Amino acid sequence: MVCEGDGKDGGAAVVGSNSARSSFSDPDPLQDFCVADLKSTTTVVLISAYNSQLPGIALLPLNLFASNPTIPNEILAKNLQVDVNVIAIIKSKFPMAAAKFSIKTTSSFFLVLCLSTILFFTLSCFSADPDPLQDFCVADLKSTTTVVNGFPCKPVSQVTSNDFFYSGLMNGSSTANPLGIGISPADVNNFPGVNTLGLAVARVDFAAGGYIPLHSHPRASEVIYIISGEIHIGFVSTTNVFYSKVLKSGELSIIPRGLVHSVSNAGQEKAVMIATFNSQQPGFAKIPSNLFASNPTIPNEILAKNFQVDVNVIAIIKSKFGNLIN
């Protein structure tokens, strides 16, 4: 059984078995009591352990405003729904930001010790799309069984050829919305045959000026194939390098898993692309909405500190997001 600590009274929230909780519980006090000094100015030290020797760190403010080469102001302005001058002001705050940021790592032995401990308790949670144990598992979308890493399988006796063929990408979806895009998905929710196979596909239609907001897919890499038109595609690495190019019909692009990227129509006519993911549920984290339209909202003070602007600028940006499609 997997359980989670409540983290109250200074205790760490731990994922692990019931029998192992005691080894991660609060340490025994060395005095009668220790009333918290909430006004203390003592330096706070945080130690983080990761289940990867190179977990990567994508600092969104630096990704967006201090990449090299820089993300064009026009793309950022469109995503954040502000004037390009506002983007220029924010970018001006970041020349020294990258140099001031540093991380100290532990010794190899201590890191291995931490990771080994985490591995012991979380091994079953590593894989987003585990390898299938059968030829196929057509999703039973009507099942009331709890869903864990996919849908339950339809009985083989009820599987038909139609479960493995899909025509939903033949026609595009409407682009009559503020983003100027239409998305036609071929994922497990409407193409049950891909269940447990680690695949998802989508057709995206762009009107002139249409764009997909800056986003990432936390569980999948993405291959993009251009059907028609000209599409600008760019992603930012964890070292804040912006890789981009305008692609034409017949060209391919790869977006590594989890990296922030932008996709927009670079031509004057409509454009169409096919996106393929190596996960049946790749996830779609829209960066502008994550930052400025979350519920509950991220406090303006936190965003202002991260973007090095006045809180009034954050309030203006947040006010722009009521009319965007989710």
Side-chain angles (χ1 to χ4, degrees):
M1 176 180 179
V2 177
C3 58
E4 184 175 3
D6 57 15
K8 294 181 180 179
D9 301 322
V14 178
V15 177
S17 64
N18 290 331
S19 62
R21 271 186 60 85
S22 60
S23 64
F24 282 83
S25 60
D26 296 347
D28 292 333
L30 299 178
Q31 62 284 318
D32 290 342
F33 54 81
C34 177
V35 177
D37 181 1
L38 302 181
K39 297 181 180 180
S40 173
T41 58
T42 302
T43 300
V44 176
V45 178
L46 172 68
I47 296 177
S48 298
Y50 305 91
N51 60 348
S52 169
Q53 69 181 46
L54 289 173
I57 179 167
L59 296 173
L60 290 181
L62 298 184
N63 275 184
L64 298 180
F65 301 110
S67 65
N68 183 20
T70 185
I71 300 176
N73 288 8
E74 294 74 16
I75 290 178
L76 291 172
K78 183 178 289 187
N79 273 270
L80 300 184
Q81 302 283 296
V82 296
D83 187 81
V84 290
N85 293 325
V86 174
I87 300 300
I89 292 172
I90 298 177
K91 280 188 174 181
S92 70
K93 307 288 185 177
F94 283 90
M96 301 301 296
K100 293 180 180 179
F101 181 80
S102 65
I103 299 176
K104 291 185 177 180
T105 58
T106 64
S107 68
S108 298
F109 172 79
F110 184 71
L111 185 60
V112 170
L113 176 63
C114 289
L115 298 185
S116 298
T117 304
I118 294 173
L119 278 168
F120 181 79
F121 293 111
T122 62
L123 188 61
S124 63
C125 303
F126 277 178
S127 180
D129 286 29
D131 291 334
L133 299 177
Q134 61 285 315
D135 289 343
F136 54 80
C137 173
V138 176
D140 183 357
L141 301 180
K142 297 181 180 180
S143 173
T144 58
T145 303
T146 301
V147 175
V148 179
N149 271 352
F151 288 89
C153 304
K154 182 189 295 186
V156 175
S157 61
Q158 298 178 20
V159 173
T160 68
S161 293
N162 287 335
D163 289 317
F164 303 104
F165 300 92
Y166 185 67
S167 59
L169 303 187
M170 294 178 63
N171 300 309
S173 298
S174 172
T175 59
N177 54 66
L179 300 180
I181 60 171
I183 301 177
S184 306
D187 57 22
V188 67
N189 296 295
N190 42 43
F191 189 10
V194 303
N195 191 45
T196 75
L197 300 183
L199 292 170
V201 183
R203 168 177 170 159
V204 184
D205 289 73
F206 296 82
Y211 70 103
I212 304 175
L214 286 160
H215 64 283
S216 66
H217 303 291
R219 293 182 291 277
S221 296
E222 176 182 7
V223 172
I224 295 175
Y225 176 72
I226 310 302
I227 299 294
S228 63
E230 298 181 358
I231 297 178
H232 180 273
I233 299 172
F235 68 87
V236 185
S237 71
T238 57
T239 55
N240 304 314
V241 178
F242 182 53
Y243 299 94
S244 68
K245 186 178 180 180
V246 174
L247 299 185
K248 299 180 180 180
S249 175
E251 294 188 296
L252 282 172
S253 172
I254 180 71
I255 307 295
R257 174 178 173 173
L259 296 186
V260 174
H261 55 286
S262 66
V263 185
S264 59
N265 189 348
Q268 301 302 314
E269 306 294 331
K270 66 172 295 186
V272 181
M273 75 178 206
I274 298 292
T276 304
F277 306 90
N278 62 342
S279 170
Q280 72 180 50
Q281 298 281 15
F284 185 78
K286 286 195 295 186
I287 305 305
S289 296
N290 279 178
L291 296 177
F292 302 108
S294 64
N295 184 20
T297 185
I298 300 175
N300 287 8
E301 294 74 15
I302 291 178
L303 290 172
K305 182 177 292 187
N306 274 272
F307 290 106
Q308 302 191 40
V309 296
D310 188 82
V311 291
N312 293 325
V313 174
I314 300 300
I316 292 172
I317 296 176
K318 282 186 174 181
S319 70
K320 304 290 186 177
F321 283 84
N323 64 337
L324 287 185
I325 61 174
N326 294 317

